[in-house]
Amino acid sequence: MASKRKNMILLSEMVKTDFKLRYQGSVLGYLWAVLRPLLMFAILYVVFAKILRFGGDVPHYPVYLLVGTVLWNFFTECTGMGIHAIEGRGDLIRKLSFPKYIVVVSATSTAVINMLINMVVVTVFALINGVTPSLTWLLVIPLLIELYLLALGISLLLGAIDVKFRDIGSIWEVLMQAMFYAVPIIYPISMVLETSALAAKILLLNPIAQVIQDVRYCLITTETTTSWELLGVKLGLVPIILCVILFILAVWYFRRKAPYFAEEV
Amino acid sequence: MAFNAKKYLEKLRSEALAEAERDGVAIRVSNLTKSFKLPTERAWGLKQAIFNRLRGIKGYKKQVVLSGIDFEVKKGEFLGIVGRNGSGKSTLLKLLAEIYVPDSGKVTVNGSLVPFIELGVGFNPELTGRENIYLNGAMLGFSNREVDKMYNEIVKFAELEDFMDQKLKNYSSGMQVRLAFSIAIRAKGDILVLDEVLAVGDAAFQEKCNNYFASLHGNQTVILVTHDMGNVERFCDRAILIEKGKIVKDGEPKAVADAYRKLWD
């Protein structure tokens, strides 16, 4: 199909341009893709592992913390770019006829590239920290795909709403600030478990928490609590089902609204 | 049911295409109507939207931009569309280009249509002239390799050999338009749709552009939207005058140009 080929050309060129523009004019350039999460990690590490001593008995706590920050950063960056994608590319949408999801996918792709680079850094850190490589590392791939589907679903849904109601971006930012503390990134979930098993269960129903805990389990140490362990097999499926339902709903809504983006944006 | 409806629409579409092909028609527009929702009270945020809803204000009024538009463009025909500012010309063009969806009526496009609603769509001031050629080329559906092949011709036609490694923001507006135009004329499609892109560059460059348009005449289906009655009489086989969303004259370029001039009497 000729139009399919055109769409692929458009998508790949937009991905390239977005990535190129991202770090243009900065001295360290692409290095920032790696530096940003590392610096954020350094801050969290000093505050939570050294001063507040959250790490406790978690093995490889620094890597454990780094994985959490990298995945969380990916999620916020991805949704942050994705939600504003349609609005930000209004110039194209008003003048070209093409499938609008391309804009959202290209906007989120920079975050995906950054995350993949960061996961390589994480792996190097893990090896330095004495984590033994194992086959379970491969399970990280489907987990990352799940997280991207969640971020993409939210981007499509909120991005389509953002065309009419620009408040969505600000609301989402605040929500993410709150969510940061609801996801076991800086604190181990065992800390919550000690006070309330119910609270820990509710926190682990969140797909972001589920992915982060599962990645830690597969990559770093089995001495961590995952959604499966705490909720059982049936309830453990809830976060994944949430992701799928949200994604389907988002695609349905986006497709319904997309024909009118050109006149509304 | 839903599946059948989709199949039915597909069938209608292919029948309309077959009919157009039989009649030697490139574009057939029948009973086309389009209206926009214009916000009366700015509902640019969630707060206003909720307030308006509560007070029973719809927040928009419907404005009919085009109504009952009927016309055909034969294969190989050079059609001019003229009309005053705000008469609905550009909306019509965007409907032909499938950027907008009609309220009712039908647009049948027999072949591939390349729209130029504006020159240099997607141009980025932070990128170099060279990078922008590839980017804009992708917007027109050209892969990197295809642009490679025509790169030299594009630069030569634009007369910008010495400026390709400079950022676009350092170009004069005339230079930008020349570059955009040089890329645009590489586009190959069965139907070209052009929105007032004739008047670009200095006198010498204008001459080149006019030669290009003259070369299209007779070989290509072209729809040209313009204010310049000289160009209508020079290039077009037929013209349409639109006034207040309706076709008021359809016929010889000379007669249409006269009718257009009379609008001010």
Side-chain angles (χ1 to χ4, degrees):
Chain A
M1 284 261 288
S3 67
K4 228 172 215 151
R5 181 172 164 270
K6 274 191 174 183
N7 293 343
M8 284 320 294
I9 292 173
L10 190 59
L11 178 60
S12 74
E13 195 63 31
M14 280 170 70
V15 170
K16 266 187 261 172
T17 308
D18 281 348
F19 197 71
K20 229 186 304 186
L21 286 172
R22 187 68 182 275
Y23 298 104
Q24 214 181 42
S26 76
V27 181
L28 294 176
Y30 300 128
L31 211 56
W32 277 113
V34 179
L35 272 180
R36 246 173 348 122
L38 279 185
L39 291 175
M40 167 128 173
F41 158 74
I43 297 166
L44 294 177
Y45 182 71
V46 170
V47 175
F48 292 99
K50 290 293 163 198
I51 301 173
L52 295 175
R53 303 204 175 273
F54 272 16
D57 47 359
V58 181
H60 309 290
Y61 186 66
V63 198
Y64 187 90
L65 190 58
L66 182 63
V67 169
T69 14
V70 162
L71 294 182
W72 177 256
N73 269 347
F74 162 66
F75 186 75
T76 48
E77 192 188 348
C78 204
T79 51
M81 306 289 287
I83 288 173
H84 297 289
I86 301 287
E87 170 199 337
R89 282 293 189 162
D91 57 328
L92 283 191
I93 290 169
R94 268 180 260 117
K95 285 156 208 159
L96 274 185
S97 162
F98 63 98
K100 310 296 180 283
Y101 73 86
I102 287 184
V103 168
V104 181
V105 173
S106 89
T108 53
S109 62
T110 308
V112 174
I113 297 171
N114 283 343
M115 183 265 283
L116 292 177
I117 297 172
N118 286 322
M119 284 312 282
V120 174
V121 176
V122 165
T123 314
V124 173
F125 256 64
L127 291 173
I128 293 172
N129 208 256
V131 178
T132 23
S134 85
L135 271 179
T136 57
W137 283 21
L138 289 177
L139 286 173
V140 171
I141 295 164
L143 288 167
L144 295 181
I145 293 172
E146 184 198 339
L147 190 61
Y148 180 59
L149 273 190
L150 179 70
L152 187 61
I154 289 170
S155 299
L156 288 170
L157 185 68
L158 299 188
I161 298 174
D162 171 77
V163 173
K164 268 201 167 165
F165 301 110
R166 299 286 157 93
D167 311 56
I168 282 292
S170 312
I171 296 173
W172 183 248
E173 255 173 55
V174 176
L175 245 168
M176 292 302 278
Q177 285 290 334
M179 184 100 84
F180 179 73
Y181 295 100
V183 176
I185 300 162
I186 44 178
Y187 55 87
I189 191 78
S190 54
M191 274 179 78
V192 184
L193 262 175
E194 280 163 23
T195 31
S196 160
L198 181 70
K201 278 182 185 174
I202 293 171
L203 290 187
L204 282 182
L205 280 176
N206 179 349
I208 309 167
Q210 172 248 318
V211 169
I212 289 180
Q213 286 308 98
D214 279 349
V215 170
R216 281 167 168 170
Y217 184 92
C218 295
L219 197 64
I220 304 162
T221 169
T222 50
E223 283 176 49
T224 185
T225 314
T226 66
S227 298
W228 297 87
E229 286 173 337
L230 198 62
L231 300 166
V233 175
K234 262 193 202 151
L235 269 179
L237 274 174
V238 169
I240 296 170
I241 294 170
L242 276 179
C243 278
V244 174
I245 290 176
L246 185 97
F247 189 73
I248 293 170
L249 182 80
V251 170
W252 169 79
Y253 184 77
F254 189 85
R255 285 175 60 142
R256 225 175 62 123
K257 292 289 175 191
Y260 301 98
F261 286 164
E263 42 191 284
E264 282 169 354
V265 73
Chain B
M1 271 307 278
F3 184 67
N4 283 342
K6 203 177 166 191
K7 245 188 174 170
Y8 180 67
L9 284 178
E10 276 294 309
K11 195 171 151 248
L12 279 186
R13 211 179 91 85
S14 60
E15 275 173 8
L17 273 178
E19 202 184 17
E21 183 61 38
R22 198 177 58 231
D23 302 343
V25 167
I27 292 183
R28 174 172 282 156
V29 175
S30 47
N31 202 15
L32 193 67
T33 298
K34 177 72 186 169
S35 58
F36 289 122
K37 291 172 181 174
L38 298 181
T40 45
E41 205 147 336
R42 283 182 67 84
W44 211 234
L46 215 49
K47 196 181 79 186
Q48 263 90 357
I50 293 168
F51 272 170
N52 289 350
R53 205 43 75 81
L54 288 177
R55 283 184 291 175
I57 299 172
K58 260 209 225 124
Y60 63 82
K61 78 169 197 271
K62 217 170 180 183
Q63 191 186 359
V64 180
V65 186
L66 289 173
S67 66
I69 301 286
D70 268 300
F71 69 93
E72 279 179 4
V73 187
K74 290 256 183 294
K75 278 189 181 168
E77 197 171 25
F78 205 124
L79 176 80
I81 297 180
V82 299
R84 284 197 266 200
N85 284 333
S87 58
K89 300 177 302 257
S90 294
T91 305
L92 178 58
L93 232 55
K94 287 190 174 182
L95 284 163
L96 295 181
E98 291 177 332
I99 294 170
Y100 290 162
V101 282
D103 294 356
S104 65
K106 210 166 63 175
V107 176
T108 307
V109 177
N110 179 19
S112 64
L113 182 146
V114 182
F116 295 107
I117 304 303
E118 195 183 277
L119 283 174
V121 170
F123 264 11
N124 194 306
E126 292 296 327
L127 296 175
T128 65
R130 185 190 307 276
E131 289 168 321
N132 270 301
I133 289 183
Y134 285 87
L135 182 59
N136 191 235
M139 304 286 163
L140 298 175
F142 289 121
S143 68
N144 277 354
R145 208 172 296 157
E146 285 166 315
V147 179
D148 282 340
K149 275 188 217 143
M150 47 193 172
Y151 180 80
N152 288 330
E153 276 178 75
I154 292 173
V155 177
K156 210 173 145 221
F157 189 90
E159 302 167 22
L160 289 170
E161 286 90 341
D162 301 332
F163 300 93
M164 292 326 290
D165 290 319
Q166 291 212 24
K167 283 188 181 174
L168 200 73
K169 63 180 175 188
N170 299 328
Y171 280 34
S172 73
S173 51
M175 286 157 78
Q176 290 192 18
V177 177
R178 260 152 57 198
L179 185 62
F181 189 84
S182 305
I183 306 165
I185 62 171
R186 303 290 144 190
K188 297 273 182 294
D190 301 325
I191 305 155
L192 289 185
V193 175
L194 312 158
D195 193 356
E196 339 222 24
V197 288
L198 280 168
V200 295
D202 52 23
F205 194 74
Q206 284 249 312
E207 183 61 34
K208 269 189 178 178
C209 301
N210 284 340
N211 288 341
Y212 165 71
F213 281 103
S215 77
L216 289 178
H217 193 201
N219 305 318
Q220 171 107 40
T221 316
V222 184
I223 298 179
L224 173 70
V225 167
T226 182
H227 284 294
D228 186 340
M229 290 308 124
N231 282 329
V232 171
E233 291 178 43
R234 198 163 352 150
F235 299 121
C236 298
D237 301 315
R238 204 180 110 215
I240 287 173
L241 173 62
I242 297 182
E243 176 69 1
K244 290 183 184 144
K246 288 196 165 67
I247 295 182
V248 291
K249 190 141 185 88
D250 180 346
E252 288 289 309
K254 176 106 183 47
V256 172
D258 287 341
Y260 176 79
R261 291 186 190 106
K262 273 206 192 102
L263 290 177
W264 276 269
D265 293 342

